[in-house]
Amino acid sequence: MRKRIATILAAPQRGEQLQIAGWVRTRRDASGFSFIEVGDGSCLANIQVIADQTLTNYGDEIKKLSAGCSVLVTGTLQESPAKGQAVELLASEVRVLGWADPETYPLQKKHHSFEFLRNISHLRPRTNALGAVARVRSRLSYGVHSFFQERGFIQVHTPIITTSDCEGAGEMFQVTTPSAVSAAEAAAEFFGRPAGLTVSGQLQAEVYAQALGNVYTFGPTFRAENSNTSRHLAEFWMVEPEMAFCDLECNRQVAEEMLKYLIRLVLAECSEDLALFDHFIAKGLLARLQQVVDHDFAHITYSEAVEQLLQSKHSFSYPVQWGGDLQSEHERYLTETIYHRPLIVTDYPAAIKPFYMRVSDDCRTVAAMDILVPGIGEIIGGSQREERYDVLVARMQQAGIELSGYEWYLDLRRYGSVPHSGFGLGFERLVQFVTGMANIREVIPFPRTPGFAPC
Ligand code: 4AD
Ligand code: MG
């Protein structure tokens, strides 16, 4: 029976006849037989295949196998005398499915830089690190759904093509048709008005929260921001819960609980892959993640954050002053140097936050919340939403937003408006945090950044 290597190694049954299918990592010849390391992507570990010279294709094929060749191996699982592996597969047949020319196959058995691997994004998942990232990412994604589904949240598929710029930051990619004279014209022709790729599913999630209570959306989002940093992508995935009858405090609790749930999940279920990251990518990662789940997050207001940054006397590239946005260097100083743990910052100045955030009684701040984590900075951005019709209209007018495109959004405040809150978790930033990968381009299968979208 064909089996995945992860299944075999989870409960090895010595003497079992089975078949594996995968790619050759290495081949080593001894006298009268060869050791072939085969991996199939189901887990980090490979299985060692023992191919004896009595196999009919030993001389013609097996001795020519090299890294990257695909094989189908049938054999008997047996105790391995070698250190570091419990079992090995004594082959009765090794079928070569696809050759990989060792002269040209780019993944040779040597260290490749992540920059090099980015240029072969079609082959890089075959490396240990990128394969491990893919498995952890998949587990986290499943975990996002289980976290919300276990708590009765309803998933909403919000649109990818949208006509409202949620963040109001003007970073929307426009959607056009091939016959377009100009981008705006084409979009207007097709949808009757200009349309773009969504920057966030929040506004539509709000619609469903105000009908179904607790909802979430989890999908790709797009931002045409020209930031070539290790934390920005032009296409990234966002997890956005939206909760009716929930204030900022409740929002904060759900966000902290979700992050801890997801980290606990991968600590328990991706230990082999996390050990690789801990060893080769980010020393001490496991201990740091354990710390996060074991302790409460810190919480300060924006005003307190500004005060603490000023008091630190640290020299920053960007000046710190009340009213200015916290830059990445400020965020990281707070969470890494002052607090040494995840930090929730709330109550930002209204002037630097989008129109939908609820204005506080002081009229200067809004009920905003960012969660900052060491090594990354902002991983979550959220807020309580402005549920009061008049206040919302005033904020939109102040921001210069054309109200006519948002009548549907305003209707939610006209008819049965309720206090509600939500947040957005940058999914790649979470994968970065959990794996310790330095650059966000390594934690999404096919990164899109300014000037880069090869396949
Ligand atoms: O803080 P942001 O812009 O919040 C929103 O979009 C809200 N509408 C979310 C909500 O309340 N439903 O983005 C949320 C998160 C950020 O904290 C960050 O982790 C991530 O999305 N993010 C990016 N990740 C990768 N590349 C980018 N260019 C990102 N921009 C934001
Ligand atoms: Mg933000």
Side-chain angles (χ1 to χ4, degrees):
M1 189 179 61
R2 171 119 34 98
K3 277 195 167 177
R4 299 275 279 161
I5 292 174
T7 314
I8 297 169
L9 297 181
Q13 292 167 35
R14 285 141 186 101
E16 190 186 8
Q17 302 281 318
L18 51 81
Q19 193 175 58
I20 60 164
W23 293 267
V24 172
R25 296 308 190 108
T26 58
R27 193 199 80 238
R28 207 158 42 83
D29 299 325
S31 82
F33 64 96
S34 298
F35 296 107
I36 313 164
E37 286 282 326
V38 178
D40 68 0
S42 59
C43 59
L44 186 62
N46 303 316
I47 266 197
Q48 178 165 278
V49 171
I50 313 289
D52 190 85
Q53 63 181 0
T54 55
L55 295 171
T56 52
N57 61 344
Y58 185 74
D60 290 349
E61 294 193 326
I62 293 174
K63 284 199 72 169
K64 295 178 185 155
L65 284 173
S66 57
C69 294
S70 53
V71 288
L72 195 63
V73 182
T74 311
T76 310
L77 208 60
Q78 61 178 28
E79 194 85 31
S80 174
K83 260 180 57 190
Q85 58 187 26
V87 287
E88 58 191 20
L89 189 62
L90 180 62
S92 55
E93 187 189 15
V94 175
R95 238 165 78 199
V96 182
L97 299 178
W99 292 99
D101 183 354
E103 297 298 314
T104 57
Y105 187 58
L107 294 176
Q108 297 303 328
K109 198 180 173 341
K110 62 168 187 153
H111 176 75
H112 297 293
S113 73
F114 289 126
E115 290 77 9
F116 168 79
L117 292 174
R118 261 176 237 151
N119 291 315
I120 46 166
S121 49
H122 56 298
L123 293 173
R124 70 177 186 162
R126 296 184 188 189
T127 63
N128 283 340
L130 275 287
V133 167
R135 283 184 296 270
V136 170
R137 184 178 168 113
S138 164
R139 198 64 196 86
L140 282 170
S141 167
Y142 186 54
V144 164
H145 290 290
S146 47
F147 176 82
F148 288 113
Q149 296 283 341
E150 282 164 15
R151 284 157 185 76
F153 282 62
I154 290 153
Q155 187 192 5
V156 179
H157 291 121
T158 50
I160 286 173
I161 298 176
T162 172
T163 53
S164 44
D165 179 359
C166 172
E167 294 307 295
E171 290 159 349
M172 278 223 285
F173 284 103
Q174 214 145 42
V175 173
T176 66
T177 53
S179 59
V181 178
S182 77
E185 267 175 28
E189 218 169 75
F190 197 88
F191 294 106
R193 52 199 293 211
L197 297 178
T198 185
V199 297
S200 160
Q202 177 196 322
L203 301 189
Q204 289 88 357
E206 282 188 56
V207 170
Y208 272 75
Q210 294 187 72
L212 306 177
N214 290 348
V215 302
Y216 70 104
T217 179
F218 180 13
T221 49
F222 309 84
R223 293 191 187 177
E225 50 189 343
N226 204 3
S227 351
N228 246 318
T229 79
S230 59
R231 310 176 319 140
H232 287 90
L233 291 164
E235 176 177 315
F236 64 98
W237 285 63
M238 220 199 305
V239 177
E240 295 182 276
E242 192 67 36
M243 296 156 284
F245 317 106
C246 171
D247 62 9
L248 192 65
E249 173 58 24
C250 145
N251 204 20
R252 205 156 69 71
Q253 282 170 9
V254 174
E256 179 168 345
E257 195 186 330
M258 179 197 68
L259 282 177
K260 287 180 173 168
Y261 174 101
L262 293 171
I263 294 169
R264 222 176 268 126
L265 183 83
V266 288
L267 280 172
E269 297 187 17
C270 303
S271 53
E272 190 191 29
D273 289 324
L274 289 192
L276 172 94
F277 298 124
D278 187 82
H279 195 74
F280 293 108
I281 306 288
K283 291 248 178 308
L285 175 76
L286 287 170
R288 286 199 295 277
L289 292 176
Q290 192 60 48
Q291 278 267 28
V292 171
V293 297
D294 288 345
H295 295 95
D296 287 343
F297 291 4
H299 172 209
I300 52 173
T301 62
Y302 165 90
S303 300
E304 287 165 339
V306 167
E307 208 157 288
Q308 291 174 11
L309 289 169
L310 288 173
Q311 273 170 11
S312 75
K313 302 273 184 276
H314 184 82
S315 106
F316 295 105
S317 316
Y318 291 88
V320 179
Q321 60 179 44
W322 202 98
D325 214 351
L326 294 181
Q327 300 297 320
S328 159
E329 56 170 347
H330 307 140
E331 294 175 343
R332 291 189 55 176
Y333 190 84
L334 286 164
T335 176
E336 288 166 18
T337 309
I338 304 187
Y339 285 93
H340 310 283
R341 60 187 159 133
L343 171 66
I344 308 179
V345 182
T346 56
D347 305 286
Y348 283 74
I352 56 167
K353 288 292 185 185
F355 67 92
Y356 55 72
M357 295 192 177
R358 192 177 196 280
V359 178
S360 305
D361 293 343
D362 63 13
C363 293
R364 294 202 316 156
T365 60
V366 285
M369 138 188 125
D370 277 4
I371 300 189
L372 318 177
V373 294
I376 306 238
E378 180 189 341
I379 194 168
I380 281 181
S383 69
Q384 183 169 344
R385 320 306 187 188
E386 184 54 76
E387 85 282 14
R388 297 161 297 185
Y389 178 86
D390 294 338
V391 184
L392 181 60
V393 167
R395 279 275 282 163
M396 292 174 84
Q397 282 167 340
Q398 243 173 32
I401 293 168
E402 190 65 61
L403 294 189
S404 60
Y406 290 84
E407 285 304 329
W408 59 276
Y409 191 69
L410 290 169
D411 263 358
L412 300 171
R413 278 73 183 169
R414 285 190 187 103
Y415 309 120
S417 188
V418 296
H420 62 289
S421 299
F423 61 84
L425 163 72
F427 189 62
E428 284 72 24
R429 293 196 185 169
L430 173 69
V431 183
Q432 259 192 295
F433 186 59
V434 163
T435 59
M437 295 299 278
N439 197 305
I440 199 165
R441 293 165 176 83
E442 267 68 78
V443 299
I444 186 163
F446 299 98
R448 272 89 179 86
T449 51
F452 190 84
C455 74

